[in-house]
Each structure stands twice: as structure tokens, then as C-alpha cells.
Amino acid sequence: MRPEHPLANATLTLDDYLAARHLLVSGRRRGRGQPDVALQALGLQREIAVRVQGYTVAAAITAADDLLWTVPAALALHTRLHVTALPFECQPLRFALYWTREADQDPASRWIRERVAQAFAAGLSHVAASSA
């Protein structure tokens, strides 16, 4: 959330989280995010007010509006947003790399896969979700 958000100076409660409007980063026009799966297991639902396809756009919109954006903490910490813990348990995002059989032995493809894997191992593989 933006630092000036009305919820930024207090502990985020589940009621506050559910009452807020949310932003979701997704490449799909429909569907749920990781927090929605966790909330559904509790019999709850949040309001997705805005859906975007990129994290940079999500950060810019969240910084300018009273939306909540639930994002892995490792990504949120690279923004100027206020970061707080979720008021419910949420499974961390799982990331996977896919490539074609032909690219398996390609030196350039192998190089970029190794760099991406190193970046995730260093900071993203163990991070739980937070609300920004």
C-alpha cells in the first residue's frame, strides 16, 4: 500500500484486508491469485478492483491509489510502498523455468537460465507473501 494509505499506520486486520479494494498482477483476464486461493479456503473473498499484467505498473498504481497489492515481500521491498504482513496464511508463489529441448544445450539459453535461478535462489525462493 502507499505510505499515506489509511491502513499504513496500524496492524492490518483480516476485516480491513477484506474491506479494501485490491490490485492483482496476472496475465489472465479472469482467475484468482494466490491470496484468493487462501481466502477461499477460509470461505472468504476480496474485491479485485484493478488487474494489471506487470509488477512495475502495479507498483505505480498502488503508489497513487488506496489499493492493496499482495505481492511477494522480496519484490515489495524494491518499491517505495508500505509493506506489512498478511493477516492470514498464504502459500508462497512457486516459480518455474521452462525451455525447449533445443535450447537445453544452447550456451546463451543456459547462461540466462543460470542467472535467473541464481537470482531466485538468492532472494525469492523462500519469501512469503506480504501486502503492499
Side-chain angles (χ1 to χ4, degrees):
M1 70 184 81
R2 64 188 182 92
E4 301 82 17
H5 192 288
L7 299 174
N9 293 319
T11 300
L12 184 64
T13 67
L14 183 56
D15 287 340
D16 289 337
Y17 184 88
L18 295 174
R21 295 170 46 244
H22 295 264
L23 180 142
L24 175 65
V25 175
S26 175
R28 300 171 292 159
R29 291 183 181 189
R30 295 188 197 108
R32 304 174 300 170
Q34 199 76 358
D36 303 300
V37 174
L39 289 170
Q40 184 179 25
L42 299 172
L44 303 170
Q45 185 176 350
R46 65 182 179 155
E47 176 194 349
I48 303 298
V50 178
R51 184 182 294 257
V52 298
Q53 292 186 351
Y55 291 101
T56 303
V57 171
I61 292 171
T62 304
D65 201 320
D66 281 342
L67 296 166
L68 297 186
W69 172 32
T70 305
V71 59
L75 297 177
L77 294 174
H78 292 284
T79 71
R80 294 186 175 150
L81 299 172
H82 174 77
V83 178
T84 189
L86 284 174
F88 59 93
E89 292 293 319
C90 185
Q91 293 294 315
L93 289 174
R94 295 177 58 114
F95 295 91
L97 285 173
Y98 296 94
W99 59 91
T100 64
R101 192 173 298 135
E102 294 80 20
D104 194 52
Q105 299 303 317
D106 177 64
S109 179
R110 180 179 290 155
W111 180 86
I112 193 67
R113 289 193 313 265
E114 289 170 355
R115 295 310 169 278
V116 170
Q118 288 170 357
F120 274 79
L124 298 179
S125 63
H126 64 283
V127 177
S130 294
S131 186

